[in-house]
Amino acid sequence: MTTIRRRPSRREQHRLGGTGARVTARNTLVAYAFMLPFLILLVLYHTWPVLFGTYLAFTKYNIIQPPQWVGLDNFRELFADEQFWAGLRNSLKYILVVPVIQVIAILVALLVNRPLKGIGFFRTAYYVPVVTSFAVVGLIWNWMYQQGGPVNTVLGALGLPRDGSLLNNPATALYAVMFVTLWKGIGYYMVLYLAGLQSISPELEEAATIDGASRAQVFWHITLPGLRPTILVCSLLSTISAIKVFEEIYVMTQGGPAGSTYSALFYTYSRAFLDYKYGLAAAGGIIIAVISVLFGLINFRLTRGGRVDA
Amino acid sequence: MPESALPASLLQADPHARLAAQLKAQRRRRERWRNALAYAVLVVIALIMLYPFYWTFITSFEPTGNIYEAKLWPEGFTLRNYTEMFQGTTVPFWRLVLNSVVICVLGVTLSTTLATLAAYPLAKMRFPGRDLVFYAILVLMVLPNEAGLIVNFITTIKLGLLQQTNPVADTVRQYLAVVLPGAASIVGLFLLRQAYLNVPLELIEAARIDGARELTIWRRVMLPLAMPTIAAFAILEFVAYWNSFLWARIMLPDKNMLPLSAGLLELSGTFSTNSRAVMAGAVITVLPILVVFLLGQRYFMKGLEGAVKG
């Protein structure tokens, strides 16, 4: 039997790393030299925070004195703190943004996917809020929400009550901030869905149309299932960022009025940078991390096991 | 077109042709309606997305009047708010601009250099521990990094980056303190590794056989071929560094060292009496981003899609 020597596939070539580069001490050294600066910063600012942060959660620490091991004390203090629970509730409430933003982003993506004249302008326009800093976006919307400002004018035109800034009213402040998150985020997800839409083969949709499927049928049975991977990624991203919501709140309300927009991360921020309780803040960080992972898993199950297309 | 262009005599003679022409016209009419509707929706969304910017823009040119009023045209015109900003009586405006520029140049240079270097061995070399390094980085990307802010703050202090010795060294250290935490970009590493994987191995082998050193191969072969991805990543990083405010604002005690968007927040807090000047500041902060975004839009979108598909 003769052995046939195939030309190695791309993947194999990659695994071999090329015949020229044998594994020698020198080549290994060169490889690590290339990665060294990156790895140093990676460990310092990405790995170390995970490790040290976890350790800090079980200590009392104020930077000046060395950390003091206190076991689960921080977690006990956290669970006894009504403010922490309020923050957590608001963070969970914030997840309401996720389905809304995904549905709108998909609809907008479908809209801008049409071969209309000047569609590039609209795509760009919808993306402008995404590239703008939270600092600027927060300030602009703070002004927009002011008493007698544009938002109140619109509310009045719709026949809704319009007394003062929505941001100053504990009943509406969180929703007002949510709207800004929605407004800023739509363009981002739109672009991702646009990429998803363009990866669906047009032949499939055409074939269905020729077979007599209506537009709605094509959407439900072909487009939406084709978008499933994108939906998974997008809803995962937006769920995690909803739980971790911080910058909008930092710029617009600082947790107020009356703690109505306190989010879990804003709570940990306050404990660390206002009260210098770094251990307590780190414990809060761990709980947020665990919740993010949990929701990530739930999301994963829902969009994969569940039937998005049905 | 063809059906309706048929001679009238023929149309009258052949009922099928007439029917076809009617159907065609009907479909075109429906299509036209549909497009009109699509444009209407597109315009409404564009208004929602852009009006806040436009409103801030025109208000920043107004001399007096009801500042928060909804409007379509500015009531009066003055450059006073801008001159107030430029004179820097309330914030050291030009200093903030300089800070932003230095932070952006330093940040973009550092993060693109580090990522383009580190991705090379991961894509095209063979050495022990390669897969380990790669998966370790992958895990870091998935792991939520909530304690990041707190521990990075502690790390920055422990590294002595906020120490005060002499003005020049202090300035350099504080810039580094702002830039370093974001300089090792995992997303960038992924994007570039992906781009390098597409470079044919034969090219690299040929160069190796000719006795080229790895650094030469990286510079002469990999960088030029990965240029579109590098450009996309550099734009992403520019936007990120220009927009960053939170980290700098939390960490830097010296207000003269803040980047523009963080300084703007400072201004809005201490100087709420002249919101119009702050609005002028917001307009100035947004402009560079818009210019970069519009010029590099194609690359930008590509980088964004690559980051998710990566």
Side-chain angles (χ1 to χ4, degrees), chain A residues 74-269:
Chain A
N74 286 327
F75 290 93
R76 266 181 229 119
E77 190 178 339
L78 219 51
F79 291 139
D81 190 344
E82 182 38 44
Q83 256 195 328
F84 175 70
W85 289 108
L88 211 55
R89 269 198 300 275
N90 281 338
S91 284
L92 293 180
K93 234 189 249 176
Y94 224 87
I95 295 179
L96 277 175
V97 171
V98 177
V100 181
I101 204 171
Q102 299 310 316
V103 170
I104 296 179
I106 292 175
L107 292 178
V108 172
L110 285 171
L111 199 63
V112 298
N113 198 30
R114 292 169 71 97
L116 292 170
K117 234 179 247 163
I119 202 71
F121 164 78
F122 292 102
R123 286 184 195 170
T124 311
Y126 300 171
Y127 207 78
V128 170
V130 181
V131 289
T132 312
S133 156
F134 266 116
V136 172
V137 162
L139 282 175
I140 289 182
W141 279 95
N142 246 334
W143 296 321
M144 295 275 295
Y145 277 128
Q146 289 295 325
Q147 167 99 50
V151 173
N152 278 336
T153 307
V154 171
L155 287 181
L158 294 173
L160 293 161
R162 46 167 184 166
D163 25 283
S165 167
L166 292 177
L167 291 172
N168 292 338
N169 183 346
T172 54
L174 189 68
Y175 299 99
V177 178
M178 276 184 193
F179 178 78
V180 176
T181 305
L182 192 75
W183 175 83
K184 191 178 184 329
I186 284 174
Y188 178 75
Y189 295 107
M190 172 200 79
V191 169
L192 299 182
Y193 281 117
L194 208 53
L197 282 175
Q198 275 155 10
S199 70
I200 300 171
S201 101
E203 286 90 13
L204 223 55
E205 291 177 349
E206 266 166 42
T209 314
I210 289 167
D211 286 348
S214 68
R215 271 171 181 251
Q217 279 172 322
V218 171
F219 175 74
W220 283 110
H221 297 292
I222 302 202
T223 314
L224 209 51
L227 276 184
R228 199 194 281 181
T230 320
I231 295 174
L232 169 69
V233 172
C234 288
S235 51
L236 207 70
L237 285 174
S238 76
T239 309
I240 290 174
S241 51
I243 295 168
K244 297 193 303 198
V245 59
F246 181 76
E247 285 171 314
E248 297 94 314
I249 289 167
Y250 178 82
V251 180
M252 296 177 72
T253 61
Q254 292 277 322
S260 59
T261 59
Y262 240 83
S263 75
L265 202 58
F266 197 85
Y267 173 89
T268 58
Y269 159 83

Side-chain angles (χ1 to χ4, degrees), chain A residues 16-35, chain B residues 120-122 124-128 130 208 212-215 217:
Chain A
L16 297 169
T19 43
R22 283 174 209 295
V23 179
T24 60
R26 197 179 164 277
N27 283 342
T28 308
L29 214 67
V30 170
Y32 278 99
F34 267 91
M35 298 187 300
Chain B
Y120 176 48
L122 287 176
K124 290 293 176 196
M125 286 167 87
R126 206 175 138 211
F127 58 91
R130 187 182 68 180
R208 277 178 188 153
R213 292 168 50 204
E214 294 293 336
L215 204 62
I217 299 175

Side-chain angles (χ1 to χ4, degrees), chain B residues 165-234:
Chain B
T165 47
N166 72 76
V168 179
D170 291 354
T171 311
V172 174
R173 273 200 302 262
Q174 290 191 42
Y175 283 136
L176 283 178
V178 177
V179 168
L180 285 181
S185 163
I186 302 176
V187 172
L189 187 75
F190 270 92
L191 285 176
L192 282 153
R193 181 176 168 273
Q194 219 64 24
Y196 288 164
L197 284 179
N198 290 329
V199 175
L201 208 51
E202 289 81 0
L203 269 181
I204 298 163
E205 270 169 42
R208 277 178 188 153
I209 289 165
D210 287 348
R213 292 168 50 204
E214 294 293 336
L215 204 62
T216 315
I217 299 175
W218 172 75
R219 205 164 41 106
R220 293 278 176 78
V221 181
M222 302 310 274
L223 286 192
L225 288 173
M227 218 48 205
T229 311
I230 296 173
F233 176 56

Side-chain angles (χ1 to χ4, degrees), chain A residues 7 10 13-23 27-28 30-32 34-35 37-39 41-42 44-50 52-53 56 61 63 108 111-112 114 116-137 139-141 143-144 146-150 153 179 183 186-188 191-192 195 215 233 237 244 246-247 250-251 254 265 268-269 272-273 278 281-282 285-286 288-289 292-293, chain B residues 31 34-35 38-39 41-43 45-46 48-53 55-56 66 68-70 110 114-115 117-118 120-130 133 137 140 143-159 161 180-181 183-186 189 193 197-198 200-202 205 208 214-215 218 239 243 245-246 249-250 261-262 264-265 268 275 278-279 282 285-286 289-290 293-294 297 300-301 304-305 308-309:
Chain A
R7 188 177 167 278
R10 255 304 148 66
Q13 280 187 18
H14 166 60
R15 192 172 51 77
L16 297 169
T19 43
R22 283 174 209 295
V23 179
N27 283 342
T28 308
V30 170
Y32 278 99
F34 267 91
M35 298 187 300
F38 188 95
L39 289 181
L41 287 183
L42 187 82
L44 192 62
Y45 289 109
H46 294 263
T47 317
W48 177 242
V50 176
F52 192 58
L56 274 189
Y61 186 49
I63 295 200
V108 172
L111 199 63
V112 298
R114 292 169 71 97
L116 292 170
K117 234 179 247 163
I119 202 71
F121 164 78
F122 292 102
R123 286 184 195 170
T124 311
Y126 300 171
Y127 207 78
V128 170
V130 181
V131 289
T132 312
S133 156
F134 266 116
V136 172
V137 162
L139 282 175
I140 289 182
W141 279 95
W143 296 321
M144 295 275 295
Q146 289 295 325
Q147 167 99 50
T153 307
F179 178 78
W183 175 83
I186 284 174
Y188 178 75
V191 169
L192 299 182
R215 271 171 181 251
V233 172
L237 285 174
K244 297 193 303 198
F246 181 76
E247 285 171 314
Y250 178 82
V251 180
Q254 292 277 322
L265 202 58
T268 58
Y269 159 83
F273 296 109
Y278 294 99
I286 287 189
I288 299 170
S292 312
V293 170
Chain B
E31 197 59 34
R34 221 175 248 147
N35 283 351
Y39 276 120
V41 178
L42 285 167
V43 168
I45 302 174
I48 298 172
M49 292 300 179
L50 294 182
Y51 181 74
F53 292 102
W55 177 77
T56 308
N66 183 357
Y68 297 122
E69 208 172 33
L110 209 60
L114 293 188
L117 273 174
Y120 176 48
L122 287 176
K124 290 293 176 196
M125 286 167 87
R126 206 175 138 211
F127 58 91
R130 187 182 68 180
V133 170
I137 293 170
L140 273 180
L143 249 174
N145 197 3
E146 264 47 85
L149 207 61
I150 296 163
V151 178
N152 285 348
F153 179 74
I154 297 168
T155 307
T156 306
I157 289 177
K158 297 282 178 199
L159 285 175
L161 290 174
L180 285 181
S185 163
I186 302 176
L189 187 75
R193 181 176 168 273
L197 284 179
N198 290 329
L201 208 51
E202 289 81 0
E205 270 169 42
R208 277 178 188 153
E214 294 293 336
L215 204 62
W218 172 75
V239 172
N243 282 343
F245 68 96
L246 187 63
R249 200 163 184 249
I250 285 175
S261 48
L264 194 68
L265 277 185
S268 79
S275 293
V278 188
M279 286 176 171
T285 310
V286 176
I289 281 295
L290 282 187
F293 168 61
L294 290 176
Q297 195 194 0
F300 188 87
M301 299 278 180
L304 194 83
E305 284 161 20
V308 170
K309 284 180 189 163

